[in-house]
């Protein structure tokens, strides 16, 4: 049976058995596989079982879905490959892959955080770096909504001022 094994520090060893045809993965509780990590989108991706194949489908996540470092929108995931959601990494394991992974396990936990000396010297640690994969999405809808709201509010205030002045002049 296929399963996802989380490799990222803080979640190391956490696994999820892929038992159904469609498994949603994300940060919020309504996902089948919930991962409470900030770089994982609320509904990040789907894992689809199609026969012997495991397919990963990105759900327009903010920080992207990667297989062995390559950004994907929909792609097969092979046993032993690394799936990265935001900053969280996990490996697909199947029954056949256990023998191969025993022979060559290159799992490495990379610590992330701030060193005490960095805090003392005032150095700012940039954990995300300048990687465009972690860039903030533009939010044009909110900008348009706020602009329309300001215009409508101004029009309403002008009409109220005119109505007030007409009642004062009578």
């Amino acid at each position: 049976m296929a399963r996802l094994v989380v490799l990222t520090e803080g979640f190391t060893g956490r696994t999820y058995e892929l038992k159904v045809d469609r498994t949603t993965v994300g940060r919020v509780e309504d996902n089948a596989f919930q991962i409470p990590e900030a770089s994982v989108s609320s509904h990040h991706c789907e894992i689809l079982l199609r026969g012997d194949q495991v397919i990963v489908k990105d759900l327009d996540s903010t920080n992207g879905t990667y297989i062995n470092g390559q950004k994907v929108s929909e792609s097969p995931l092979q046993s032993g490959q690394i799936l990265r959601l935001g900053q969280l990494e996990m490996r697909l394991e199947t029954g056949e892959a256990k023998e191969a992974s025993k022979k060559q396990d290159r799992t490495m936990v990379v610590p992330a955080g701030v060193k005490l000396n960095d805090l003392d010297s005032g150095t700012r640690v940039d954990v995300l770096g300048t990687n465009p994969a972690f860039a903030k999405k533009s939010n044009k809808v909110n900008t348009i909504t706020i602009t329309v709201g300001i215009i409508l509010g101004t029009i309403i205030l002008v009409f109220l001022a005119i109505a007030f002045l007409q009642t004062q002049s009578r």
Side-chain angles (χ1 to χ4, degrees):
M1 169 147 324
R3 68 182 182 152
L4 294 171
V5 178
V6 181
L7 306 173
T8 303
E9 188 175 354
F11 298 93
T12 306
R14 185 172 174 188
T15 63
Y16 185 82
E17 300 284 333
L18 299 172
K19 298 177 184 177
V20 295
D21 292 340
R22 179 179 170 269
T23 302
T24 56
V25 182
R27 192 178 64 246
V28 295
E29 292 179 14
D30 65 348
N31 289 288
F33 186 20
Q34 180 192 12
I35 304 171
E37 206 282 319
S39 68
V40 175
S41 293
S42 56
H43 297 97
H44 201 101
C45 71
E46 290 179 332
I47 310 293
L48 307 168
L49 297 180
R50 294 185 184 151
D52 290 343
Q53 270 195 324
V54 177
I55 307 293
V56 177
K57 181 178 178 184
D58 184 70
L59 297 176
D60 195 28
S61 61
T62 301
N63 294 324
T65 300
Y66 297 81
I67 295 177
N68 285 351
Q70 298 294 316
K71 188 170 185 173
V72 297
S73 56
E74 184 171 338
S75 180
L77 179 64
Q78 304 297 322
S79 182
Q81 287 186 318
I82 303 298
L83 173 64
R84 180 166 55 90
L85 311 178
Q87 291 184 338
L88 186 110
E89 290 188 340
M90 58 186 91
R91 179 179 53 230
L92 177 67
E93 292 183 354
T94 61
E96 303 92 40
K98 285 189 177 181
E99 294 302 317
S101 67
K102 285 180 184 177
K103 293 177 186 175
Q104 182 180 8
D105 186 6
R106 297 181 305 181
T107 304
M108 179 174 68
V109 176
V110 179
V114 179
K115 294 182 176 76
L116 185 58
N117 293 340
D118 291 340
L119 293 174
D120 292 338
S121 65
T123 305
R124 181 183 171 134
V125 176
D126 188 6
V127 175
L128 295 178
T130 57
N131 187 342
F134 295 104
K136 185 176 180 180
K137 287 184 177 178
S138 70
N139 204 349
K140 293 180 183 177
V141 174
N142 281 348
T143 305
I144 292 170
T145 304
I146 290 170
T147 304
V148 169
I150 290 172
I151 292 170
L152 288 175
T154 304
I155 291 171
I156 291 171
L157 286 174
V158 168
F159 280 126
L160 287 174
I162 291 171
F164 180 73
L165 291 175
Q166 285 180 350
T167 58
Q168 291 296 327
S169 62
R170 289 187 187 163

